[in-house]
């Protein structure tokens, strides 16, 4: 009989694993890699190089490449000071997301520490790497400290990180995703009172300072807290534990409140988001089903990204859920009676997690708990944002129960699962067709949404491995555990949702791009102007690049600034327009300031000195063809007519003609 070769003990010891991790991390930073979609912004301004290395930049992630990344650029340009001296607004550079601003809050923002050591490009790459490693390791230790094996903790953390919701929301909300589980790790750690107090204070502070966004903080906090209560109920009978946790969270909250007080006071009375009140209900049932059939809500998958939504009226980001094939795999491959026995033997765990899931489900689908959420201030989490907490709690429940179930692999079970995958693909195509997002026939479903069927790759590999080596005791033992199922589910997510974000060079983010609009702005800033510069449309990227333009995304209302520009607007109308977080857009199509949407203000172009790259229909009066060819020898060498070249190309390229 063939004996499987034994792996020598210690070959994967800690030293080798840390060496490999360090080498990969150094390579990631050395090559200036990131998951940013900033290339879409550079494409939008006509830059010659968008810095894209692999996959596609995601236009849906505009809150990252047109808000978060430009604010990092502003911080670098201002040498990490707290005021943006390059902007007409002179706004403060303290944000609800972590910036490398040089102040005392930097202590609780470890992901940006390297901005003060490395070049900005490498530091921004390290920023993304730190967040990714933090989420993977915090999820791992949360599961490990809850009593799960190393293999299950690793595969579980991969499954959570590469889930649809995390990947699609990652580049803007990574601060919460990366650190929230550390609070649970601090609660589960076997340490004394003072160490726990310090760990709770530290992990909570880092989470709050990384991304102060209540909807995700509430959802993630509820999921992690419920998981700790469900897995370690004895801790909550210890008053020292409760006191350490309560005091640590309270001190961290006071610390964050003191740091963000100016931002809080500026935001709390705004029309948006300060006066936003969320009500329950409104979630599409398809999104709930997507937790079990993970590709149900997307159609037109390409390189793992969702090109369009299967739900009309929602973009691919808004329909995302923390779904995977794991629940279906657990049910189909569970040995007869094993699943029911696991539920009975873990009644307390099931009771706690189910209570949270039901509570969030009621909030997302009905108005029954509106009063409760209003009293507890949980209504700061809109119902559709509760998908994060709901999905995280649901996945943690599955991972925790998985090793308590005995599994049985048979060909019939493989075929049943494969059949349900095909049914899911048909269903997702029909849903997309019904919503008007996909108008072709069902017969083209394999081409329409091929991500549904990626699961067949690891499934077939697992089936072949089981079929050929089932006689080996170690193989039978492995396949009676949940590890193969977790690997099938996590591998599928990695191959699909894990490829949603691009591989983007950070070098181009902190270099001045070459484009018609940037050349025009550089020329305009050299000349004296009586009014503020502006460009048609939005332009926060230009503000991030250091251009003194009115186009921006304002985290704080700039009431005094705009009152000077528009003194005749009545007070109530003025406050309704400008007292908000807003993208500032310039348009020649409006005569007075107007709200485009809740977070977008359109200003009339006549108020500003407009910088344009559009070319005239005829040659300028002082155009000299001979002089133009002397200044542009490549045009003369090509034998092109000087006037024709200037009108078609030279003007857009800002070429001199005099």
């Amino acid at each position: 009989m063939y004996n499987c070769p034994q792996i020598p003990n210690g070959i994967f010891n800690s030293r080798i694993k840390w060496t490999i991790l360090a080498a990969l991390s150094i390579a990631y930073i050395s090559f200036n890699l990131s998951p940013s979609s900033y290339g879409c912004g550079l494409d939008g301004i006509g830059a010659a190089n968008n810095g894209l290395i692999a996959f596609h930049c995601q236009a849906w992630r505009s809150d990252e490449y047109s808000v978060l990344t430009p604010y990092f650029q502003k911080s670098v340009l201002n040498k990490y000071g707290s005021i943006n001296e390059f902007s007409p607004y002179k706004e403060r550079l303290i944000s609800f997301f972590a910036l490398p601003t040089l102040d005392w809050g930097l202590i609780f923002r470890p992901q940006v520490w390297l901005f003060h050591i490395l070049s900005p490009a490498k530091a921004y790459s390290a920023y993304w790497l730190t967040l990714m490693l933090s989420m993977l390791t915090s999820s791992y230790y949360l599961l490990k400290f809850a009593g799960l094996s190393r293999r299950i903790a690793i595969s579980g953390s991969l499954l959570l990180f590469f889930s649809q919701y995390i990947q699609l929301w990652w580049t803007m909300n990574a601060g919460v995703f990366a650190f929230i589980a550390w609070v649970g790790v601090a609660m589960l750690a076997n340490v004394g009172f003072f160490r726990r107090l310090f760990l709770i204070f530290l992990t909570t502070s880092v989470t709050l300072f990384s991304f102060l966004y209540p909807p995700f903080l509430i959802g993630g906090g509820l999921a992690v807290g419920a998981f700790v209560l469900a897995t370690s109920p004895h801790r909550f009978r210890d008053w020292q534990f409760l006191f350490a946790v309560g005091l640590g969270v309270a001190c961290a909250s006071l610390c964050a409140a003191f740091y963000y007080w100016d931002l809080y006071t500026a935001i709390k009375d705004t029309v948006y988001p300060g006066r936003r009140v969320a009500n329950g209900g409104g979630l599409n049932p398809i999104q709930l089903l997507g937790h079990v059939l993970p590709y149900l809500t997307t159609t037109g998958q390409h390189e793992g990204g969702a090109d369009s939504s299967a739900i009309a009226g929602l973009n691919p980001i808004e329909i995302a859920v923390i779904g995977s094939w794991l629940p279906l795999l657990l049910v189909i491959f569970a040995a007869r009676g094993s699943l029911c026995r696991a539920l009975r033997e873990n009644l307390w765990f099931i009771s706690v997690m189910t209570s949270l899931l039901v509570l969030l489900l009621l909030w997302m689908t009905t108005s029954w708990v509106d009063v409760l959420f209003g009293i507890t201030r949980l209504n700061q989490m809109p119902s559709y944002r509760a998908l994060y907490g709901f999905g995280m709690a649901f996945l943690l429940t599955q991972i925790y129960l998985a090793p308590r179930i005995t599994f049985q692999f048979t060909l019939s079970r493989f075929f049943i699962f494969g059949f349900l995958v095909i049914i899911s693909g048909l269903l997702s195509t029909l849903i997309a067709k019904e919503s008007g997002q996909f108008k072709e026939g069902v017969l083209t479903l394999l081409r329409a949404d091929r991500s549904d069927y990626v699961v067949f790759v690891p499934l077939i590999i697992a089936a072949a491995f089981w079929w050929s080596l089932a006689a080996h005791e170690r193989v039978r033992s492995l396949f009676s555990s949940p590890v193969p199922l977790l690997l099938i589910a996590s591998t599928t997510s990695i191959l699909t949702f894990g490829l949603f974000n691009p591989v983007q060079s950070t070098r181009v983010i902190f270099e001045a791009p070459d484009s018609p609009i940037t050349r025009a702005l550089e020329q305009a800033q050299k000349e004296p102007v009586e009014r503020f510069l502006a460009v048609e449309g939005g332009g926060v990227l230009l503000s991030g690049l250091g251009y003194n333009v009115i186009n921006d995304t304002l985290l704080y209302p700039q009431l005094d600034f705009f009152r000077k520009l528009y003194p005749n607007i009545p007070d109530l109308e003025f406050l309704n327009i400008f007292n908000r977080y807003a993208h500032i857009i310039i348009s020649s199509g409006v005569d007075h300031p107007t709200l485009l949407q809740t977070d977008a203000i359109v200003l009339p172009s006549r108020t500003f000195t407009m910088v344009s790259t559009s070319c005239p229909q005829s040659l300028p009066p002082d155009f000299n063809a001979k002089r133009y060819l002397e200044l542009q020898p490549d045009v003369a060498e090509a034998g092109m007519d000087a006037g024709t070249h200037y009108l078609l190309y030279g003007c857009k390229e800002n070429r001199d003609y005099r």
Side-chain angles (χ1 to χ4, degrees), residues 195-457:
R195 285 188 179 182
R196 189 181 311 281
L197 174 62
F198 172 74
L199 289 175
I200 293 293
F201 168 74
L202 180 63
T203 54
T204 305
S205 296
V206 170
T207 304
L208 295 176
F209 277 76
S210 292
F211 191 53
L212 193 65
Y213 186 57
F216 288 150
L217 289 170
I218 293 171
L222 288 174
V224 170
F227 185 72
V228 173
L229 174 62
T231 56
S232 302
H234 63 281
R235 296 182 184 275
F236 289 80
R237 294 191 289 269
D238 182 357
W239 70 267
Q240 288 189 339
F241 170 83
L242 294 174
F243 185 62
V245 172
L247 183 60
V249 171
C251 290
S253 300
L254 288 173
C255 208
F258 182 75
Y259 181 80
Y260 286 111
W261 186 253
D262 289 341
L263 177 61
Y264 169 74
T265 54
I267 292 294
K268 71 180 180 68
D269 293 325
T270 58
V271 178
Y272 174 84
R275 298 178 191 171
R276 179 176 59 181
V277 177
N279 295 313
L283 190 74
N284 194 301
I286 297 174
Q287 290 175 277
L288 292 176
L289 194 55
H291 290 84
V292 179
L293 304 176
Y295 302 95
L296 195 64
T297 56
T298 59
T299 180
Q301 297 283 342
H302 297 289
E303 282 76 30
D307 287 346
S308 60
S309 166
I311 303 175
L314 297 179
N315 67 45
I317 310 299
E318 293 171 328
I319 52 87
V321 297
I322 301 181
S324 73
W325 288 117
L326 184 60
L328 203 60
L329 287 165
L330 294 179
V331 171
I332 291 175
F333 288 95
R336 182 177 300 178
S338 177
L339 181 58
C340 292
R341 183 173 63 254
L343 296 176
R344 287 196 305 269
E345 293 175 353
N346 296 273
L347 193 58
W348 168 257
F349 177 85
I350 294 298
S351 299
V352 173
M353 300 306 289
T354 301
S355 297
L356 175 62
L357 291 172
V358 170
L359 179 65
L360 293 177
L361 182 63
L362 290 174
W363 173 243
M364 292 187 294
T365 58
T366 73
S367 58
W368 295 354
V369 292
D370 283 11
V371 174
L372 172 63
F373 273 61
I375 293 174
T376 58
R377 301 294 293 168
L378 295 178
N379 61 355
Q380 295 184 55
M381 173 180 62
S383 59
Y384 56 93
R385 291 287 187 266
L387 280 168
Y388 168 56
F390 180 88
M392 187 177 182
F394 185 52
L395 184 57
L396 289 173
T397 301
Q398 300 164 50
I399 296 170
Y400 184 80
L401 289 176
R404 290 154 176 80
I405 302 171
T406 302
F407 297 96
Q408 186 176 6
F409 285 77
T410 63
L411 284 180
S412 61
R413 293 171 187 257
F414 278 109
F415 282 121
I416 291 172
F417 178 76
F419 174 75
L420 291 177
V421 169
I422 293 174
I423 294 299
S424 173
L426 282 166
L427 185 59
S428 62
T429 303
L430 289 172
I431 291 172
K433 183 180 179 183
E434 186 69 22
S435 68
Q437 302 297 311
F438 179 68
K439 303 181 185 300
E440 299 184 37
V442 176
L443 294 178
T444 59
L445 68 92
L446 286 171
R447 178 172 59 82
D449 195 352
R450 57 182 177 269
S451 291
D452 260 304
Y453 310 101
V454 171
V455 70
F456 283 120
V457 175

Side-chain angles (χ1 to χ4, degrees), residues 400-589:
Y400 184 80
L401 289 176
R404 290 154 176 80
I405 302 171
T406 302
F407 297 96
Q408 186 176 6
F409 285 77
T410 63
L411 284 180
S412 61
R413 293 171 187 257
F414 278 109
F415 282 121
I416 291 172
F417 178 76
F419 174 75
L420 291 177
V421 169
I422 293 174
I423 294 299
S424 173
L426 282 166
L427 185 59
S428 62
T429 303
L430 289 172
I431 291 172
K433 183 180 179 183
E434 186 69 22
S435 68
Q437 302 297 311
F438 179 68
K439 303 181 185 300
E440 299 184 37
V442 176
L443 294 178
T444 59
L445 68 92
L446 286 171
R447 178 172 59 82
D449 195 352
R450 57 182 177 269
S451 291
D452 260 304
Y453 310 101
V454 171
V455 70
F456 283 120
V457 175
L459 186 69
I460 292 173
I461 293 173
F465 185 76
W466 168 80
W467 181 260
S468 60
L469 299 174
H472 293 254
E473 181 63 30
R474 292 180 63 182
V475 173
R476 288 200 303 272
S477 175
L478 176 65
F479 275 82
S480 65
S481 75
V483 173
L485 301 181
L486 283 163
L487 289 176
I488 290 171
S490 58
T491 301
T492 305
S493 294
I494 291 171
L495 294 175
T496 53
F497 303 129
L499 305 182
F500 175 80
N501 292 303
V503 181
Q504 166 78 46
S505 170
T506 57
R507 187 188 300 274
V508 298
I509 294 175
F510 297 96
E511 294 178 349
D514 179 35
S515 75
I517 188 63
T518 56
R519 289 194 294 268
L521 280 168
E522 287 173 7
Q523 184 63 33
Q525 289 191 155
K526 294 177 182 178
E527 302 174 0
V529 292
E530 297 180 357
R531 299 185 296 180
F532 295 112
L533 297 176
V535 298
E536 187 81 12
V540 67
L541 268 79
L542 301 174
S543 177
L545 292 169
Y547 295 108
N548 190 24
V549 292
I550 208 74
N551 311 69
D552 210 330
T553 295
L554 300 176
L555 307 181
Y556 300 81
Q558 301 292 328
L559 300 180
D560 292 339
F561 179 88
F562 286 114
R563 179 48 94 183
K564 293 177 181 178
L565 291 179
Y566 306 104
N568 298 323
I569 299 178
D571 290 344
L572 289 178
E573 181 183 354
F574 177 84
L575 290 174
N576 184 58
I577 295 174
F578 292 104
N579 189 23
R580 64 183 65 238
Y581 164 101
H583 304 280
I584 305 300
I585 300 170
I586 312 301
S587 174
S588 58

Side-chain angles (χ1 to χ4, degrees), residues 566 569 573 577-578 587 589-595 601-607:
Y566 306 104
I569 299 178
E573 181 183 354
I577 295 174
F578 292 104
S587 174
V590 298
D591 296 324
H592 55 82
T594 307
L595 280 178
I601 302 172
V602 182
L603 303 180
S605 59
R606 57 181 173 79
T607 311

